[in-house]
Amino acid sequence: MPNSNGPQKKSRKKLRNKPRESGTSPPQRAVAEYETGEKVHLKIDPSVPEGRYHPRFDGRTGEVVGEQGSAYKIAVTDGSVEKTLIVKPAHLRSQA
């Protein structure tokens, strides 16, 4: 049987909670607010399906460029190309 080439391939460990972290995530993480220009770390929270980005960007650090609804626009460099991700605050951690 051939391998799947879907958008979540090779992401079994990235999209799975550790046993002690399973269940719902802390609500203060989902309502965190970030200022424009602030540096944030990208980390997918597997228990929050909405507002995710492509797993390729997991573990990267980006800069908040603006807001879009309840999500944030994050500028990330992918090689030499600047890309903008739209991410909910549940998947962001402040760098400070």
Side-chain angles (χ1 to χ4, degrees):
M1 182 139 213
N3 287 341
S4 169
N5 290 319
Q8 294 184 354
K9 70 174 184 175
K10 296 185 179 181
S11 61
R12 174 182 286 189
K13 291 187 179 177
K14 292 180 184 179
L15 299 179
R16 183 177 65 194
N17 271 328
K18 302 282 188 271
R20 288 178 182 250
E21 298 170 1
S22 63
T24 58
S25 31
Q28 63 267 24
R29 192 181 298 162
V31 296
E33 295 185 2
Y34 300 97
E35 300 293 325
T36 302
E38 189 174 347
K39 295 278 190 180
V40 291
H41 297 297
L42 298 169
K43 175 67 183 91
I44 291 179
D45 184 355
S47 59
V48 181
E50 61 273 347
R52 281 186 188 164
Y53 46 87
H54 194 280
R56 170 193 310 135
F57 301 105
D58 202 40
R60 301 262 184 109
T61 300
E63 183 177 342
V64 177
V65 179
E67 292 185 44
Q68 183 167 325
S70 60
Y72 291 96
K73 292 181 180 180
I74 310 296
V76 178
T77 53
D78 189 19
S80 61
V81 181
E82 183 87 9
K83 296 191 177 180
T84 303
L85 306 175
I86 299 170
V87 184
K88 292 271 188 143
H91 307 293
L92 299 174
R93 309 285 182 276
S94 182
Q95 186 178 20

